[in-house]
Amino acid sequence: MSLHLSGITLTYPDGDTRLTALHQVNLDVPAGHLAAVVGPSGSGKSSLLAVAATLITPDRGRVVIDGVETTGKSRAQLAELRRNRIGIVFQQPNLLASLTALEQLEVMARLDGIPRREARHRAKTLLDAVGLTARATHRPGRLSGGQQQRVNIARALMNEPAVLLVDEPTSALDRDRGAAVVALLTTITHEQATATVLVTHDRSVLDAADAVHEVVDGRIHHPARTATEENRR
């Protein structure tokens, strides 16, 4: 289980020219490691996450997910790859108001044709792992922001992903709830051996990362300093 980006260049149309969002980006995240990606707004962090999620095809470069080369794959093949090997935790939980916490997870498994009994067992196991067993039958309106984000994380893990991509998970949470969510992500990364990429503006969470990468003007910097050293800047 790993994520490998090599020589990624991504451009967008900008009038008569093209705007470079990412330029010759290289990123390796081994299994069981959490890589934090930081940088100012508009630096290319969101584009990097979208490329890693195979939601955007770069102009040049290679994306390898758990040993699977994505170059040349059809949209249907990429969609299947996302279902089976990539978990995405969006900035906003976007939970379905009519479904309980348990059902939010079950519906993901049912989309892949997993039998109901197996889906329910895995959903219960994951809710227990994120500390929400007692909230399994609660709908989003009865869950706090931190609890909704934990459901969001558990939902992303239903397909047992090799790669976990997380976008600003603490942005809508207070410091204590944010710290709890990051601690949960760290534990999941190590216990389930996912290759996790955490995009964040919150430098207080960087001590939890195994590596810190900074994106500036579409270029990624791989500092020799550790996550702890980065946090002290």
Side-chain angles (χ1 to χ4, degrees), residues 29 35 59 80 131 161 185 210:
V29 185
D59 298 46
E80 182 178 1
L185 287 168
D210 296 294

Side-chain angles (χ1 to χ4, degrees), residues 5-231:
L5 306 182
S6 176
I8 298 296
T9 294
L10 175 67
T11 64
Y12 295 110
D14 185 29
D16 294 332
T17 62
R18 295 188 71 84
L19 176 68
T20 299
L22 298 171
H23 181 71
Q24 289 292 310
V25 166
N26 299 306
L27 178 66
D28 281 297
V29 185
H33 281 63
L34 189 153
V37 176
V38 298
S41 296
S43 61
K45 301 189 305 299
S46 294
S47 294
L48 176 64
L49 210 62
V51 168
T54 72
L55 294 171
I56 296 177
T57 300
D59 298 46
R60 292 186 298 277
R62 298 174 64 228
V63 179
V64 182
I65 304 290
D66 193 25
V68 177
E69 170 72 63
T70 64
T71 303
K73 287 193 175 296
S74 67
R75 295 172 73 175
Q77 289 172 323
L78 290 176
E80 182 178 1
L81 180 68
R82 284 192 294 274
R83 285 198 307 271
N84 295 332
R85 306 203 187 198
I86 302 174
I88 304 175
V89 179
F90 296 103
Q91 185 172 346
Q92 298 298 327
N94 296 320
L95 302 179
L96 297 173
S98 62
L99 299 184
T100 66
L102 184 65
E103 291 166 345
Q104 305 281 346
L105 275 62
E106 286 182 310
V107 72
M108 299 301 295
R110 297 304 300 276
L111 288 173
D112 275 344
I114 297 175
R116 184 180 183 86
R117 180 175 295 181
E118 182 181 342
R120 173 149 292 200
H121 175 73
R122 176 153 180 77
K124 286 182 175 180
T125 299
L126 284 171
L127 286 179
D128 181 60
V130 300
L132 288 178
T133 296
R135 298 288 187 272
T137 60
H138 289 196
R139 292 180 172 82
R142 296 183 60 196
L143 300 174
S144 69
Q147 289 169 343
Q148 289 186 39
Q149 191 62 285
R150 281 188 275 164
V151 173
N152 190 18
I153 292 168
R155 181 176 60 182
L157 294 169
M158 276 298 288
N159 61 352
E160 299 183 290
V163 172
L164 185 62
L165 305 173
V166 188
D167 185 17
E168 298 281 5
T170 65
S171 63
L173 304 177
D174 61 36
R175 188 177 183 86
D176 289 343
R177 288 176 178 171
V181 165
V182 172
L184 173 61
L185 287 168
T186 302
T187 298
I188 287 169
T189 297
H190 295 158
E191 290 185 352
Q192 301 199 22
T194 59
T196 301
V197 178
L198 169 63
V199 168
T200 184
H201 279 95
D202 185 0
R203 291 181 178 269
S204 69
V205 309
L206 299 185
D207 279 345
D210 296 294
V212 176
H213 308 282
E214 187 169 13
V215 180
V216 179
D217 295 332
R219 298 173 185 266
I220 195 165
H221 299 269
H222 305 276
R225 57 183 175 273
T226 63
T228 300
E229 291 169 334
E230 169 66 21
N231 194 36

